[in-house]
Amino acid sequence: MRLDQSLVLGLLATTGLALPSRRDNGVAPKQLQVRSSKYAVKQPPLTTEWTGKVGTHPWPDYPRPQLQRSQWQNLNGVWQYQNASSVDAVKSPPFGKDLGREVLVPSCLESGLSGIQEQNSLYSWFATSFKVPSSWKDEHVLLHFGAVDYEATVFVNGKQAGFHRGGYFRFSVDVTEFAKFGEENELLVFVHDPTDGGDHVIPIGKQTLNPNHIFYTPCSGIWQTVWVETAPSDYITSLDITADMHGEVNATVHSSDTSKSSDVEVTVQDNGKEVATHKSSSNKPFQFKVHSPKLWTPESPKLYNVTVKMGDDKVTSYTGFRTISKDKVDGVVRPLLNGKFIFMFGTLDQGYWPDGLYTAPTREAMVYDLEVLKKLGFNMVRKHIKVEPELFYRACDELGLLVIQDMPSLRPLQTKTLDNGTQVDVMPNPKQQVEFGRQLELLVNQLKSFPSIAIWVVYNEGWGQLTNTYPEFGLTERVKQLDPTRLVDSTSGWHDHGAGDFSNNHHYANAQCGTPWYSTDSSPYDDSRIGFQGEFGGVGHNVSIEHLWNDQAAINSINETYEMDASIDVWNYRSHFLLNELEDQVHKYACSGGVWTQTTDVEGELNGLMTYDRRVKRVDEKQWKDDIQALYSAAAARSNGS
């Protein structure tokens, strides 16, 4: 039996259902004693099976799986919230004041789960308090944010402690000098999120202040986990680690004191058994060998635990041994995994949720999507112009799903009218272009140690891509310098000038993958690079109102979906037809992989393997498994010279 949405929300409001939370010493940090209006889930246009499982202590797990410490506190939960009138509000912080409303952190302010669910949340205040244990008094206190969209100014105990720009990236603030040990500490965060308002051209992916068809409701505020932890005076700030098919481990241990090199020790374990230990120094790359490692593949996603010690600091991490490369196989340039051609096939995965928007309701819900894909036989997922919490990539590492990771697009497909009445495309100015490059570096540096990531995408369909200066060449070179272990798809779909490793075609509904024909909105196949179908499919099917994003503007745009099919049977038939066409192109031409649109419906776009609420699967599972396996078999036959 399924509870209806109104009953689920009623239970939430009256009981405050909560998941158990893993906290320092098992005790949740004390929240501000407030008189604000009490938190309750707002009625979203659509719920999921997980809406009623979120509670008031969401996302309790340690959020940074590749650099974990033992002493930490999760600060997620019910915070105070107050809308602000302008960017100047940051000059007058409301220290010690009741902000008037309660909000769930992490969440998007525009979502039902936030308890706010309001649009145009351009300027916002968030407040909570946390206790720093007296036992931490000789240590450094590090405050971490998984992601805040878009600019965050952080105050601790009445002092500005930090600032960060970029809505998709983790950042940390050393708050030791502001902290009161053994006492409550006031945390205040001012957030400015312009999305696509005014003249702002920033990385926003598919967010827009005016949702329409393939552009969706924005996400403002603190939308990933907040936590605090303790570390010694010279501590590990980040860990870069990759391991290849030959057993060579490349690592850099970055420390807070960059003026010196400290002794570090790295230990690699397999099921608790030590397989390698190496000693070196911080802040410089080093290499060592693990003999005869078991390799990471989608079929056998083997991972090794890693422990790193530097002075009094100790962190745990993990890695997988695999090599991503490209080379000619029987005269065709192919992507290789561990030296062998791998046909990458996955879905366009946008990571949107009707109850949480950018923030999945629970970790279980987020992983559910990936498990559905894996069960059907997909070996890859394209994370489409969004960056997920790092636990998403951990799940891909564990499940054996390769990841094509997009850089979130700059403001896409919009025009503005000049004073003389001329309409021009909204494109980045030089300063905004430099900022895009800076955030691209953040993307690569923060995620490059996850074994599952195989490809970086710089631009999607020309969105925010300057076409007169060809910036993709310089950006591609920068990505390859930061991470020489992966392939780069410089321009997925449009405006391909020859940069990067892929000749990538987008076409709906039929594929044009490495073929001698192409549509004028994409590019001809370039046989010096990998032939790839970056997007295709997109066939749609309407559903009853209980599975739709119940917003009239979205409902009105349903027929803008690339193709609409009359029934689920017809939808599966059309999917089978299109997958067979792709298989034929694998046999005859130079197709090396493809991305099917898409994992789920999103708002008014109804072309998912599942509905937006994840309650209806459209797929005929046997048919899809057979068709996907046929693609792999066709690719294997080509690589064997057949």
Side-chain angles (χ1 to χ4, degrees), residues 139 211 454 526 617:
E139 302 282 295
D526 172 5
K617 293 180 185 176

Short mmCIF file of all heavy atoms in Angstrom, two decimals, residues 139 211 454 526 617:
data_model
loop_
_atom_site.label_atom_id
_atom_site.label_comp_id
_atom_site.label_asym_id
_atom_site.label_seq_id
_atom_site.Cartn_x
_atom_site.Cartn_y
_atom_site.Cartn_z
N GLU A 139 43.57 21.49 19.17
CA GLU A 139 43.49 21.12 17.75
C GLU A 139 42.94 22.28 16.93
O GLU A 139 42.47 23.29 17.47
CB GLU A 139 42.57 19.91 17.58
CG GLU A 139 42.98 18.69 18.37
CD GLU A 139 44.12 17.94 17.70
OE1 GLU A 139 43.92 17.41 16.60
OE2 GLU A 139 45.23 17.92 18.29
N PRO A 211 11.55 28.64 -15.15
CA PRO A 211 11.56 27.26 -15.65
C PRO A 211 10.71 27.10 -16.91
O PRO A 211 9.59 27.61 -16.99
CB PRO A 211 10.98 26.45 -14.48
CG PRO A 211 11.25 27.29 -13.27
CD PRO A 211 11.13 28.71 -13.73
N ALA A 454 35.65 8.68 -15.87
CA ALA A 454 36.43 8.31 -17.05
C ALA A 454 36.64 9.47 -18.01
O ALA A 454 37.64 9.50 -18.73
CB ALA A 454 35.73 7.17 -17.80
N ASP A 526 34.73 12.93 -37.04
CA ASP A 526 36.15 13.16 -37.26
C ASP A 526 36.89 11.90 -36.87
O ASP A 526 36.96 11.55 -35.68
CB ASP A 526 36.60 14.35 -36.40
CG ASP A 526 38.11 14.57 -36.40
OD1 ASP A 526 38.81 13.86 -37.14
OD2 ASP A 526 38.57 15.44 -35.64
N LYS A 617 8.39 2.55 -13.52
CA LYS A 617 9.45 2.23 -14.48
C LYS A 617 8.80 1.93 -15.82
O LYS A 617 7.92 1.07 -15.92
CB LYS A 617 10.25 1.00 -14.03
CG LYS A 617 11.07 1.21 -12.78
CD LYS A 617 11.82 -0.08 -12.44
CE LYS A 617 12.56 0.02 -11.12
NZ LYS A 617 13.21 -1.27 -10.77
#
